[in-house]
Amino acid sequence: MSNILIIYSSVHGQTRKICAYLEDKFVALGDKVTMSSLDQVPDLNDFDKVVLGASIRHGKHNPSVYDFIAQNRGILEKKTSSFFSVNLVARKPAKNTPQTNPYMLAFIEKSEWKPNLLQVFAGSLNYQGYGIVDRNIIRFIMWMTKGPTDAQTNIEYTDWAKVDLFSSEFHAL
């Protein structure tokens, strides 16, 4: 049994939803789990393992993700740890692995932290849930990448079987 901390940085809620799903999976495997938003992280020393999940907004992970890593890198590197990115580009089979996803590759290049496990999950697309500016920016990006642009679109691209596999892999570390 491990004591796991799951930290999320989520804009529209999909990353938080994935983290809540992981929490349920880890608890079912017998682990003790605490879930926290990035702005309310408890003392990392109280945990054996740490999972950090972060979404993409306007092409980048939240700068506070990198700040958190920089401030806690020493502790993170002493723990079994994982990082996953949630983004719409990962809906495409050619861009849904840590080795092929441009946002994960940017993270790896920018961050000095080397987690034990990396993963990429596709997010969700819900135009009605976005403000006018985000809606138009995302629709333009979707148009450019041949994704859905209908303003009524509400699609969850997250592959939950992939999240299941991730939970098993992390639990086994």
Side-chain angles (χ1 to χ4, degrees), residues 18-32:
I18 292 169
C19 287
Y21 185 87
L22 287 170
E23 178 181 25
D24 291 344
K25 288 292 178 180
F26 293 141
V27 167
L29 291 167
D31 295 317
K32 180 180 176 193

Side-chain angles (χ1 to χ4, degrees), residues 87-151:
N87 57 78
L88 286 171
V89 170
R91 76 188 189 283
K92 295 183 172 194
K95 297 190 182 205
N96 70 358
T97 69
Q99 299 79 21
T100 60
N101 185 272
Y103 299 118
M104 181 60 82
L105 294 173
F107 172 83
I108 292 167
E109 185 176 315
K110 186 173 182 177
S111 175
E112 294 184 13
W113 173 43
K114 304 299 178 216
N116 302 95
L117 183 62
L118 296 170
Q119 193 50 269
V120 176
F121 301 120
S124 66
L125 178 63
N126 179 7
Y127 287 122
Q128 298 85 30
Y130 307 145
I132 188 91
V133 174
D134 280 347
R135 183 180 314 125
N136 287 325
I137 289 170
I138 294 168
R139 284 180 77 194
F140 178 69
I141 292 167
M142 285 294 163
W143 175 77
M144 288 177 26
T145 62
K146 298 181 180 18
T149 57
D150 183 314

Side-chain angles (χ1 to χ4, degrees), residues 6 8-10 26 29 41 45 52 54-55 77-80 86 90 96 107 129 152 157 161 163-164 168:
I6 301 174
Y8 62 89
S9 173
S10 188
F26 293 141
L29 291 167
V41 176
N45 291 306
L52 173 58
S55 63
E77 290 183 347
K78 292 177 184 172
K79 310 239 175 238
T80 300
V86 178
N96 70 358
F107 172 83
Q152 301 306 308
Y157 289 104
V163 180
D164 286 340
S168 297

Side-chain angles (χ1 to χ4, degrees), residues 1-2 4 25-26 29 31 49 51 80-82 116-117 164-173:
M1 178 175 120
S2 296
I4 301 173
K25 288 292 178 180
F26 293 141
L29 291 167
D31 295 317
K49 297 180 175 183
V51 175
T80 300
S81 63
S82 174
N116 302 95
L117 183 62
D164 286 340
L165 180 60
F166 173 82
S167 69
S168 297
E169 290 173 344
F170 187 73
H171 177 77
L173 293 175

